[in-house]
Amino acid sequence: MAGSWDGSYDPGSQSDDSHHFERLHIEPLYDAFVCPLTKQVMRDPVTLENGQTFEREAIEKWFKECRESGRRLVCPLTQKELKSADLNPSIALRNTIEEWTTRNEAAQLDMARRSLNMNSSEDDVLLSLSSRKVRCKALETLLAVVEEDEDNKAILAEGDTVRTIVKFLSHEQSKEREEAVSLLYELSKSEALCEKIGSINGAILILVGMTSSKSENISTVEKADKTLENLEKCENNVRQMAENGRLQPLLTQILEGPPETKHSMAAYLGDLVLNNDVKVHVAKTVGESLINIMKSGNMQSREAALKALNQISSFDASSKVLIEAGILPPLVRDLFTVGANQLPMRLKEVSATILSNVVNSGYDVDSIPIGLDHQTLVSEDNVHNLLHLISNTGPPIECKLLQVLVGLTNSPTTVLNVVAAIKSSGATISLVQFIEVPQKDLRMASIKLLQNLSPHMGQELADALRGTVGQLSSLIRVISENTGISEEQAAAAGLLAELPERDVGLTRQMLDEGAFQLIISRVVKIKQGDIRGTRFVTPFLEGLVRVLARVTFVLSDEPVAVALCREHGLAALFVDLLQTNGIDNVQMVSAAALENLSLESKNLTRLPEMPPPGFCATIFPCFSKQAVITGLCRVHRGTCSLKESFCLLEGQAVHKLVALLDHTNAKVVEAALAALSTLLDDGVDIEQGVSVLCEAEGIKPILVVLLEKQTENLRRRAVWVVERLLRNDDIAYEVSGDQNVSTALVDAFHHADYRTRQIAERALKHVDKIPNFSGIFPNMG
């Protein structure tokens, strides 16, 4: 039909001569009827001044192209210039063409009807029809012939007639689509024809599309829908419908079909690719039925149900529906059962995958009873069983079961149960050993699990990493891979970050293995923008900075650590990281690292060597004059630098720390205040430290921190710093007139811990709010 003339002008469908039309019409086609430009029968013929006739739309397009290209206006046939572009309608020719067309259509329709009565083939009937009107009439005739007549339906089904009818479903003319779908609906009433219709490529796809189309008329949509309902009699059609988005027939078969059909449809459901919304609908509709098949069917049926449940459970919302439908108890039983009725390992892997999906959905699985005595999935025996399976199965199942434990340890309500079970089973070392396996998914699952465990059993993990050859190196190797930033790398950095920062043995081992140099390189690349744009960059950077900061906790014990910090300019790097806006943990950890570095400054500053006194000064001390040495650090009284002695007076460190006192995160404020307090610590020139803070405009922000009292730790730190500031008479005088500061100190004096109350008392004495002879708290220095 696509090759037949439909009576419309289509400039894209041209023929070299008029013989094509002679084959399609009963009366001969006259050359005068055909436009020389389009090679189509004209509908609106017009004549030029030179007597040549063309289709109006075609010649107007020719003139337009001439004007746009700057060419002369010429006749497309003679190529002679025209004086005028006037077009004269050829009314007589148009009437003749219309009469000829009408006679041909009537003749063709009559031939179609006579051919149908003679049981002729599609080629003699449909493919020979040239006009839209004739095709519609032919489809109407076919419908009349087959309506309520099974024999005629069977005759029509022979050959490719049904295939041609299906082609009309995607035709551009709505009338033809409507007639075609009406005819298909009638044919679909015959069960014998349902399989044939469904076997035609694209038939069901087009019909499903028509049922959801907003451009079709209501009648066409209803007929398409009823046709599909009839086609549901054939299982293959049901599968095709599901594949093309019409799932309900398949779900109905799972709910109501005979056992064999239920199982075959469940197996097919497991092979479909479903979007997330559909997964939720499927879980709500057939989730319980699939779980029942999984519980009580034969092995083949259980496999089909498990495949389908695996597909459905891969979305969190649908997983939660399955949990509420009761999937957890039989799923766990299938995993743990050994003996005659146990699942083969390939199906246990599917069960483990489903369990991983549902546990990681965010549902409170601890509220679901499993087995006797109201046990849950995180009961000690069940966690022990999971750990036992992890140690005695192959990598695919091990990976999924580790992901189950990852899900259980993601939840604050279940992580402690898992931690207790791991400790009681002595499984720590066996879990740590997975860090070295070659399978990336398995290794990543183990690292993520250990990261979740590390806040609760950090020392045990640190001991295991130190005591087992290779694991620490493997973690560092994962972190240092130059392949962008992966989830595995972020987890590995997060795991190392959670290990006890004051574990000197672990830090020493990391120093020996060159871990910190690799981490410094990664941090610098991220800061320079060489690595960016991945969703794991923030947790990765947070983990790296926390791991790097642990080297600042061993400065007094490890000269190698001091040398590392000097060689790589670690103090300057942490100062730069203070300005990592939007990543609070990086700013907090960097400030804490600078506190540790600054505390070591008084031990690393090079004190000046005084020149020996002259001979006269030795005999007559009154003639001696103390040497003056310039260029010394005001606070540390020696030769200082940010690189060599980690002195905060360089690199705008003080100004950047003061800026963080206005941070919205109290932990960042506390870390910044702790770093600044090192300038007022015992062993340094406190008066000069106060001056440095004054010059950095840090006094007012410190007082604001005291007034806000965000946390008890912050108040404790602020009271300590303020007391040191008030030792300066000018500051004490200014503050004594601020009733708010006095009130905050009085509140600390009454309600803080013992040590802070003592410091608050001294601060109040500085501003004359308590007499100097008062001794409520003994002096503790």
Side-chain angles (χ1 to χ4, degrees), residues 145 188 199 362 546:
V145 167
S188 70
S199 68
R546 289 181 66 189

Side-chain angles (χ1 to χ4, degrees), residues 655-710:
H655 287 82
K656 292 175 182 178
L657 287 167
V658 167
L660 289 182
L661 296 179
D662 191 37
H663 203 284
T664 55
N665 188 328
K667 291 184 177 180
V668 176
V669 176
E670 184 181 341
L673 188 59
L676 290 171
S677 69
T678 60
L679 301 177
L680 309 175
D681 202 9
D682 296 333
V684 304
D685 191 324
I686 295 176
E687 185 176 346
Q688 288 298 320
V690 171
S691 297
V692 169
L693 291 174
C694 285
E695 292 162 10
E697 298 182 352
I699 306 301
K700 185 176 180 180
I702 291 171
L703 294 175
V704 169
V705 171
L706 173 66
L707 296 176
E708 290 180 346
K709 298 182 296 186
Q710 295 183 56

Side-chain angles (χ1 to χ4, degrees), residues 274-497:
L274 308 175
N275 66 43
N276 289 336
D277 290 340
V278 172
K279 289 175 187 175
V280 175
H281 171 69
V282 171
K284 290 178 178 178
T285 307
V286 298
E288 190 171 349
S289 295
L290 291 171
I291 293 168
N292 288 333
I293 296 172
M294 180 187 79
K295 289 194 293 186
S296 56
N298 58 36
M299 195 59 69
Q300 188 176 2
S301 302
R302 292 166 73 187
E303 180 172 3
L306 284 169
K307 281 179 63 179
L309 289 167
N310 186 28
Q311 163 76 276
I312 302 167
S313 66
S314 58
F315 179 52
D316 288 351
S318 51
S319 275
K320 292 175 182 178
V321 174
L322 293 177
I323 293 173
E324 291 172 355
I327 195 173
L328 265 181
L331 198 59
V332 173
R333 186 179 64 246
D334 277 352
L335 272 172
F336 293 164
T337 296
V338 294
N341 200 35
Q342 73 172 353
L343 289 177
M345 277 301 171
R346 61 186 175 80
L347 294 187
K348 285 203 173 189
E349 181 183 342
V350 180
S351 295
T353 304
I354 299 170
L355 184 60
S356 170
N357 290 340
V358 299
V359 167
N360 283 281
S361 69
Y363 196 98
D364 180 16
V365 295
D366 194 31
S367 64
I368 307 296
I370 294 173
L372 304 174
D373 301 324
H374 303 288
Q375 286 193 336
T376 69
L377 188 56
V378 292
S379 296
E380 187 174 51
D381 288 346
N382 285 327
V383 177
H384 284 175
N385 286 334
L386 287 171
L387 293 169
H388 177 76
L389 274 176
I390 289 171
S391 301
N392 293 279
T393 52
I397 299 181
E398 289 171 343
C399 179
K400 296 303 178 183
L401 294 177
L402 283 172
Q403 289 172 359
V404 170
L405 292 179
V406 170
L408 294 174
T409 53
N410 278 335
S411 168
T413 61
T414 55
V415 61
L416 295 180
N417 300 71
V418 178
V419 168
I422 289 173
K423 288 182 177 179
S424 64
S425 66
T428 305
I429 291 178
S430 63
L431 291 175
V432 168
Q433 288 173 346
F434 282 108
I435 293 174
E436 284 193 288
V437 298
Q439 296 88 355
K440 187 170 183 179
D441 288 346
L442 179 55
R443 186 177 66 229
M444 183 169 74
S446 72
I447 292 173
K448 289 172 69 175
L449 172 61
L450 295 174
Q451 181 190 12
N452 288 351
L453 297 172
S454 56
H456 310 283
M457 48 188 301
Q459 193 57 59
E460 291 90 336
L461 294 177
D463 294 341
L465 286 169
R466 276 192 282 104
T468 311
V469 177
Q471 269 76 45
L472 184 60
S473 300
S474 296
L475 273 180
I476 295 166
R477 188 162 53 249
V478 168
I479 290 172
S480 61
E481 288 176 355
N482 286 315
T483 54
I485 299 174
S486 66
E487 184 180 10
E488 182 184 22
Q489 288 179 306
L495 167 57
L496 282 178

